[in-house]
Amino acid sequence: MAIRQGLLALLSQGPRYGYQLRAEFEASTGATWPLNIGQVYTTLSRLERDGLVSPGEQDEQGRVVYSITEAGLAEMGRWFSTPVAQSDRPRDELVIKLALAVTATTDVRPIIQAQRTATMRTLQAFVQARRASVENPAQRLVLDSMIFQAEAEQRWLDHCEAVLTASPRPRRPAATATENPDTEHPNAEVPDVEVPDAGSPRG
């Protein structure tokens, strides 16, 4: 999710200044996506440049309140109506790590066990946070998603362990005659050779 669309969604509820937007963004996402105030104001400047928000007058504390424009509402509507493509999501580093570990014939079991422990701790933290978010349905939905993902990751790790335990570890294939013509292939058949009798005269 782009930060700009998130800020537009919050501004659709009424004018806000930067610190309000940061606090509400983090509260809505269950603090799973922390923002610094610099990101917020940089994004607001770009939204203003693109005509999606308009700044108001500074208040007595020097804060500028921003409002969403009609173009901003249309942009937000397009974002809400467009499904998120799988290709738009970040690559899963854990999947890549395990795949490369198998390719490198590394013992994957310690990697799986370490990840399983870390994922369980994360899952427990999400469950505790969810219990504290019963009054915030937006935050609860985000935490529910994180819980489901952690549970799915645990099941996938169990699946990986079962598959790798049942499958023989890959071995490097033996060199063929074309790869090293001076080396006899270990699986080549030995031709039958007639051995003369020791007592027979040689021709």
Side-chain angles (χ1 to χ4, degrees):
M1 180 188 73
I3 296 173
R4 57 188 278 135
Q5 281 89 355
L7 297 186
L8 288 175
L10 293 173
L11 288 172
S12 70
Q13 303 302 304
R16 284 162 171 75
Y17 54 86
Y19 281 95
Q20 283 179 307
L21 288 168
R22 185 184 70 167
E24 292 183 23
F25 186 95
E26 292 184 353
S28 296
T29 59
T32 58
W33 191 335
L35 295 180
N36 63 59
I37 195 62
Q39 285 178 291
V40 173
Y41 280 112
T42 297
T43 304
L44 286 171
S45 296
R46 292 171 180 167
L47 290 171
E48 180 184 355
R49 177 200 64 193
D50 296 338
L52 303 179
V53 302
S54 61
E57 298 293 331
Q58 290 188 356
D59 62 13
E60 62 278 4
Q61 298 181 7
R63 299 174 301 194
V64 177
V65 174
Y66 289 83
S67 301
I68 192 169
T69 63
E70 289 298 324
L73 288 170
E75 173 69 16
M76 183 192 69
R78 281 191 293 271
W79 179 54
F80 282 145
S81 63
T82 304
V84 178
Q86 191 69 34
S87 59
D88 293 336
R89 303 178 189 182
R91 294 177 176 87
D92 193 325
E93 182 180 350
L94 174 59
V95 174
I96 296 172
K97 178 194 288 188
L98 289 184
L100 292 177
V102 172
T103 302
T105 65
T106 301
D107 187 0
V108 184
R109 290 171 297 179
I111 302 174
I112 292 175
Q113 186 55 46
Q115 187 64 47
R116 183 184 285 119
T117 301
T119 303
M120 180 57 68
R121 289 178 184 150
T122 301
L123 176 59
Q124 291 171 346
F126 287 150
V127 170
Q128 292 177 355
R130 182 182 179 279
R131 290 171 182 162
S133 66
V134 291
E135 302 299 328
N136 188 331
Q139 189 178 100
R140 179 174 177 177
L141 286 176
V142 173
L143 290 169
D144 282 343
S145 174
M146 304 301 286
I147 289 170
F148 294 153
Q149 290 177 37
E151 290 174 340
E153 184 171 287
Q154 291 284 57
R155 291 194 298 272
W156 181 73
L157 288 169
D158 291 341
H159 170 74
C160 290
E161 189 172 50
V163 169
L164 294 173
T165 300
S167 302
R169 296 189 65 182
R171 293 181 295 175
R172 186 182 181 86
T176 62
T178 56
E179 293 172 339
N180 190 349
D182 297 327
T183 303
E184 183 179 2
H185 196 289
N187 295 324
E189 293 184 2
V190 178
D192 294 332
V193 178
E194 184 177 352
V195 180
D197 185 72
S200 301
R202 295 180 180 272

